[in-house]
């Protein structure tokens, strides 16, 4: 992987860059260099390689750097996990409750819609889902 080819820094067994709690690379000459998401491994506080962690790390680091100050240690509090497992079924493991089946699938879909970047997509995606529900998946290939 790309990260394992980067020199003058520490790597874990998976080839991820080992970072300090403030997400900066460990090693001399790496001041002001940061790694987030799947390519990073926080020393003494490993986190799962999920989109939730990566997005929060990105927001945290952007906020710190845009304020003109030093990066502060990253602290992660899980909002829970949602999973779509097919056939209109899902699993939800949230701090307040757990769900499975169709209600969890519906929650997963609703949460997905809130993460879309534009209003155009927020309108188009439910229409595509409705079309798929009525006509089935498009399995054509070219």
């Amino acid at each position: 992987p790309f990260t394992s080819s980067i020199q003058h820094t520490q790597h874990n067994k998976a080839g991820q860059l080992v970072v300090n709690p403030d997400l900066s690379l460990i090693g001399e000459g790496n001041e002001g260099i940061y790694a987030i998401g799947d390519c990073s491994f926080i020393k003494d506080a490993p986190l799962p390689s999920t989109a939730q962690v990566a997005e929060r790390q990105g927001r945290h680091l952007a906020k710190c750097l845009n304020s003109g100050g030093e990066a502060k240690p990253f602290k992660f509090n899980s909002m829970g996990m949602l999973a779509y497992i097919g056939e209109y079924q899902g699993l939800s493991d949230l701090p307040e409750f757990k769900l499975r089946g169709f209600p969890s699938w519906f929650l997963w879909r609703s949460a997905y819609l809130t993460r879309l970047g534009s209003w155009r997509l927020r309108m188009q995606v439910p229409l595509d889902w409705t079309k798929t529900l009525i006509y089935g998946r498009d399995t054509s290939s070219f």
Side-chain angles (χ1 to χ4, degrees):
F2 171 73
T3 55
S4 60
S5 69
I6 297 174
Q7 299 176 2
H8 309 295
T9 188
Q10 293 180 18
H11 298 84
N12 67 3
K13 291 178 183 176
Q16 296 169 306
L17 301 170
V18 180
V19 298
N20 292 308
D22 68 352
L23 306 175
S24 63
L25 290 182
I26 294 176
E28 288 187 38
N30 291 331
E31 295 78 23
I33 302 174
Y34 301 90
I36 61 171
D38 296 357
C39 71
S40 69
F41 178 85
I42 300 175
K43 186 177 183 176
D44 302 325
L47 295 170
S49 295
T50 63
Q52 184 182 158
V53 172
E55 181 183 13
R56 293 264 197 82
Q57 286 176 334
R59 287 177 187 257
H60 169 79
L61 190 56
K63 184 178 178 182
C64 290
L65 297 178
N66 285 334
S67 69
E70 294 285 320
K72 297 174 183 159
F74 175 73
K75 292 182 174 70
F76 178 73
N77 292 319
S78 177
M79 294 170 56
M81 294 207 163
L82 301 173
Y84 170 59
I85 56 175
E87 306 269 329
Y88 306 108
Q89 301 291 307
L91 297 171
S92 301
D93 184 6
L94 305 172
E96 297 84 22
F97 59 90
K98 297 179 186 336
L99 285 175
R100 65 178 185 204
F102 183 81
S104 179
W105 170 81
F106 189 78
L107 178 64
W108 178 84
R109 285 270 171 118
S110 302
Y112 180 82
L113 283 177
T114 66
R115 306 308 299 166
L116 294 175
S118 70
W119 282 104
R120 183 185 67 79
L121 286 176
R122 289 180 189 168
M123 299 301 288
Q124 180 182 345
V125 168
L127 290 173
D128 289 344
W129 287 343
T130 303
K131 183 177 69 172
T132 302
L133 186 63
I134 295 169
Y135 300 109
R137 282 183 60 199
D138 180 7
T139 57
S140 61
S141 61
F142 298 91

